[in-house]
């Protein structure tokens, strides 16, 4: 006889939703500062969130796109300045 209802694990879904939001925020910040670090982190977080089945797929895809855009901006400024980083 079972007295309690079976526990449902919601932390996995919540974690993936948090990863999707974090990838979006880091990708957005990466366009302004530290794009060499924040771009790849945003790409990884978005990929893991999508792979785990997040409910916020749009936010994860935005984070993925912004992470890629961070790296594109970095490469463009590296080509223009012939340096590893860029500044305003």
């Amino acid at each position: 006889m079972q007295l309690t209802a079976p526990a449902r694990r919601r932390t996995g879904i919540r974690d993936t939703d948090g990863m999707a939001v974090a990838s979006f925020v880091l990708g957005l910040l990466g366009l302004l500062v530290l794009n060499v670090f924040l771009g790849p982190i945003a790409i990884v977080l978005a990929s893991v969130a999508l792979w785990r089945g997040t409910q916020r797929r749009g936010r994860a895809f935005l984070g993925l796109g912004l992470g890629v855009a961070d790296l594109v901006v970095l490469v463009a400024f590296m080509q223009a300045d012939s340096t590893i980083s860029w500044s305003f």
Side-chain angles (χ1 to χ4, degrees):
M1 176 164 88
Q2 187 175 6
L3 298 175
T4 60
R8 292 187 178 158
R9 185 174 165 101
R10 284 284 298 157
T11 57
I13 301 293
R14 215 172 344 166
D15 290 345
T16 58
D17 290 348
M19 283 186 222
V21 172
S23 71
F24 172 71
V25 171
L26 291 177
L28 200 57
L29 284 174
L31 288 174
L32 301 174
V33 293
L34 296 174
N35 51 2
V36 69
F37 298 112
L38 297 180
I41 293 171
I43 292 170
V44 169
L45 283 176
S47 300
V48 170
L50 288 168
W51 182 69
R52 289 187 179 179
T54 183
Q55 298 293 321
R56 298 179 185 239
R57 293 181 56 82
R59 191 84 33 105
F61 279 121
L62 282 172
L64 186 64
L66 286 170
V68 170
D70 291 346
L71 297 179
V72 168
V73 166
L74 176 66
V75 168
F77 278 105
M78 283 173 42
Q79 291 296 321
D81 292 347
S82 299
T83 61
I84 295 176
S85 65
W86 63 276
S87 62
F88 290 111

